[in-house]
Amino acid sequence: MSVRNWPKSTLWRMGSLPSILYLEYLTLFVVLRMLYQRDDLDKLPGFWVELLNLGRDFPNNFAGVYFVGGVICAMFVGLIFWGDRLWRQFAASGIGLKTVDALWLGIHAAALLVSVAIVNAVLATTGISPSAAALLLTACLASAAVSVFALARAFLGPALLGFLGAISPIVAGSLAIGISMSFLASVVQSFWEWLTGPTLHLTAAILQFFAVGIDVVPEERMIVLREFAVIIDSGCSGITGMALVGIFLGGYLFRFRGEYRFPRALLIVPAGTVISFLANGLRLAALVLVGAYVDPGIAKDGFHSMAGWLFFCTVTIGLIALSRQLAWFGTEDRRMVREGDNPAAAYLVPFIAWLTIGLVTGAMTVGLDRFYAIRVVAVLGLLWAFRGEYWQSVLPRLSSGARSGAWVSAAPWAIGLAVFALWLVLVDEDNSRAASMSSEIQQWSSLAAVVWIAFRILGTSIVVPVIEELAFRGFLQRRVFGADFTSVGFGWFSVPSILLSSIAFGLMHSNIVAGILAGCAFSLACYVRGRLTDAMIAHGVANALLCVWVLAFGRWDLW
């Protein structure tokens, strides 16, 4: 059965499940913050403190980095390799077709109250013995797990267990492949020294065209120009970039394998790795020139951190665009499609331009991007240039089958408010970064500070929501359904499409989890009335409220 034929109550229950869990977590968080101070955490039993520290530090330590990376890879593997099978299992399982089970709702409420009571008792009591603390921790985690499962069982029905059992081989296989890919990345990184010699000589050869007096010290893997030195270490060897380009291009070819001619299309992958190696030499040469002739601070703190991503995006996007233009790589069907207009340009070009300009201006500044206004003005110009396409495809009237009502009209505003609250809960405060940004702004003139803040608000509240929703919900979420994405309505519901667009959206943010959840929320806003503009409104509301929070409470780190 197609998802478009499912009862609306089924779809809403599926969307309500994570919303209820989030609201319960947010309520618990707010209540505990009102009752206890952060210092009370130091009084917790040892087992509890160790668990909190493990959860806080896990994403930053060695094991956490590769585990999180492996899970993200697993998500992509599952969607790319077995997305169709997952969707068929999901559609055939009958999940959510039964009425909500009151008994399981009661179990959920009881288990939730038990876990809350345990947390409150532990925070309010001092001198708990280690054995009691371990027992209470086990009971708390078990009751929380039972609470989550009971709510899912109540909303999704008895078919939930059958569905989980049916997809367990896919989940296990995806996790195995994803974590293996992450492990292989660490193994490849360990061979960085093999590339230091070629990278060193390539960089020196490029510099010969632009400068004189270059000193190369092979024993120390170092290049010196006018007292500015660059040492070729693991981060400069280029091996990580080559691996990323190869994996990205390989995944792209597999996803769009029906549009390429094999085996000749496989030449794109080694070509990408070679070009990535050459681009890395060009990047290091530019780094030396900027540090020697412009500003060492810009070279170390701005250019060095941003140029790698700039070259990665340039190589991958450039090769993909070139491969799609060259008839030698494409199938006959794709060549026929290519002769027509490219509707994807209106959805992707503003977003790509925003990223590209940001990488360039960010590479030439230290700290805040003082050229932020250039991005805003340039992208506004692109949006104006594509206004005809948006008027025809993005701003259509509601279809006869669209959902309506006053509460539906308020949905994007409510979703935006919820995402704003979610962001404040999940994104930790970075006091050092906030203080640094505030100090830098205070050093500017009053006019410069006002102009920069005004453009930042304009970009954050209006430009960014529009271009990101065009790219992620307008293009990517519909592109999963097929090559002719313009024939797919904005309100079409598909778990793989929402997950893929939300994960890609989350990867664009420093807090990946918060970004993924926000992406799912904006997809929900788009689905309610089948309007992409509702997702833009929800996104804009969330970002505008964050701007207010930044200015009212000095949370500059949110920018």
Side-chain angles (χ1 to χ4, degrees):
M1 178 174 57
S2 171
V3 70
R4 293 185 290 281
N5 298 324
W6 284 8
K8 293 295 187 294
S9 59
T10 298
L11 298 178
W12 278 111
R13 269 189 278 155
M14 292 168 56
S16 300
L17 177 61
S19 302
I20 292 174
L21 290 174
Y22 163 66
L23 289 175
E24 289 177 346
Y25 168 78
L26 180 62
T27 302
L28 176 62
F29 177 82
V30 171
V31 170
L32 292 177
R33 284 292 297 269
M34 293 174 62
L35 294 176
Y36 303 99
Q37 302 297 322
R38 187 176 294 272
D39 294 340
D40 292 325
L41 296 178
D42 297 333
K43 304 175 184 178
L44 289 172
F47 289 106
W48 291 70
V49 175
E50 291 175 7
L51 181 65
L52 289 174
N53 291 334
L54 177 64
R56 181 187 62 192
D57 298 334
F58 185 71
N60 300 318
N61 59 36
F62 179 83
V65 167
Y66 288 107
F67 178 79
V68 172
V71 170
I72 293 174
C73 290
M75 292 180 182
F76 280 105
V77 167
L79 291 174
I80 292 174
F81 284 83
W82 297 297
D84 294 340
R85 181 178 170 186
L86 283 170
W87 177 240
R88 287 195 301 269
Q89 291 282 3
F90 187 78
S93 65
I95 283 181
L97 297 180
K98 303 293 184 179
T99 57
V100 177
D101 194 322
L103 174 61
W104 283 98
L105 275 181
I107 296 175
H108 162 73
L112 179 64
L113 290 176
V114 169
S115 61
V116 171
I118 293 174
V119 171
N120 183 67
V122 171
L123 286 172
T125 306
T126 57
I128 300 178
S129 64
S131 58
L135 181 62
L136 288 172
L137 179 60
T138 303
C140 182
L141 294 176
S143 59
V146 170
S147 175
V148 173
F149 174 80
L151 184 64
R153 172 62 176 78
F155 272 72
L156 303 182
L160 175 62
L161 286 176
F163 171 70
L164 294 178
I167 68 170
S168 57
I170 298 177
V171 174
S174 299
L175 285 173
I177 295 175
I179 295 177
S180 297
M181 290 174 61
S182 184
F183 174 75
L184 288 176
S186 66
V187 173
V188 170
Q189 180 67 22
S190 64
F191 293 101
W192 66 271
E193 292 184 344
W194 291 10
L195 283 179
T196 55
T199 301
L200 185 69
H201 294 295
L202 173 63
T203 304
I206 295 174
L207 284 172
Q208 296 291 338
F209 293 95
F210 303 97
V212 294
I214 303 167
D215 292 328
V216 180
V217 186
E219 300 81 13
E220 300 182 18
R221 307 188 303 272
M222 184 169 60
I223 297 178
V224 183
L225 178 62
R226 297 183 62 179
E227 299 183 355
F228 181 81
V230 171
I231 298 177
I232 310 298
D233 58 7
S234 60
C236 296
S237 65
I239 192 169
T240 302
M242 294 169 64
L244 285 175
V245 168
I247 293 173
F248 185 92
L249 292 175
Y252 177 85
L253 288 175
F254 180 84
R255 175 62 184 83
F256 299 101
R257 58 193 179 277
E259 302 178 17
Y260 283 88
R261 299 172 67 182
F262 289 91
R264 64 180 63 177
L266 295 176
L267 294 174
I268 298 173
V269 176
T273 57
V274 172
I275 294 174
S276 177
F277 171 72
L278 298 176
N280 184 59
L282 185 61
R283 175 182 74 96
L284 293 176
L287 175 67
V288 173
L289 293 173
V290 170
Y293 294 105
V294 181
D295 189 315
I298 292 177
K300 295 177 181 178
D301 300 325
F303 189 89
H304 185 248
S305 60
M306 302 298 295
W309 284 110
L310 175 62
F311 278 87
F312 170 76
C313 294
T314 301
V315 171
T316 52
I317 295 175
L319 273 176
I320 289 173
L322 180 62
S323 69
R324 298 191 69 84
Q325 292 298 318
L326 294 177
W328 191 72
F329 286 116
T331 61
E332 184 66 27
D333 291 339
R334 197 191 75 184
R335 291 198 294 271
M336 293 175 63
V337 172
R338 190 167 55 86
E339 293 175 357
D341 295 331
N342 182 14
Y347 293 88
L348 296 179
V349 168
F351 178 68
I352 294 173
W354 179 270
L355 292 180
T356 303
I357 297 173
L359 288 171
V360 174
T361 57
M364 301 310 298
T365 56
V366 179
L368 295 175
D369 184 359
R370 301 193 180 194
F371 306 108
Y372 188 87
I374 296 177
R375 270 196 280 180
V376 175
V377 173
V379 173
L380 282 175
L382 288 173
L383 292 174
W384 177 259
F386 287 113
R387 66 189 184 280
E389 176 68 23
Y390 302 143
W391 185 260
Q392 294 179 6
S393 61
V394 180
L395 302 171
R397 293 190 299 271
L398 283 172
S399 63
S400 58
R403 295 156 287 281
S404 61
W407 70 273
V408 173
S409 301
W413 303 86
I415 291 173
L417 178 61
V419 171
F420 162 70
L422 171 75
W423 210 262
L424 292 183
V425 171
L426 294 183
V427 178
D428 294 332
E429 186 173 359
D430 189 343
N431 293 320
S432 61
R433 183 168 182 264
S436 175
M437 295 175 67
S438 176
S439 175
E440 184 173 352
I441 292 176
Q442 291 175 7
Q443 296 176 9
W444 298 348
S445 66
S446 299
L447 177 61
V450 169
V451 170
W452 187 87
I453 291 175
F455 273 100
R456 186 76 192 206
I457 294 174
L458 175 62
T460 303
S461 303
I462 298 178
V463 178
V464 168
V466 170
I467 63 175
E468 288 189 347
E469 294 312 311
L470 285 171
F472 291 100
R473 258 60 65 180
F475 173 76
L476 182 58
Q477 185 165 289
R478 297 191 295 164
R479 181 62 177 81
V480 175
F481 284 95
D484 186 15
F485 74 96
T486 56
S487 64
V488 179
F490 292 117
W492 284 29
F493 182 92
S494 165
V495 173
S497 66
I498 290 176
L499 285 178
L500 181 61
S501 63
S502 299
I503 292 172
F505 181 78
L507 292 174
M508 298 299 300
H509 296 79
S510 56
N511 191 308
I512 296 177
V513 174
I516 292 175
L517 294 177
C520 292
F522 297 146
S523 293
L524 175 62
C526 187
Y527 165 76
V528 170
R529 292 195 297 180
R531 283 181 167 179
L532 183 61
T533 49
D534 283 350
M536 295 177 181
I537 291 173
H539 198 156
V541 168
N543 283 13
L545 291 174
L546 286 174
C547 289
V548 173
W549 197 267
V550 167
L551 298 177
F553 299 100
R555 283 291 307 275
W556 299 98
D557 55 297
L558 292 173
W559 273 357

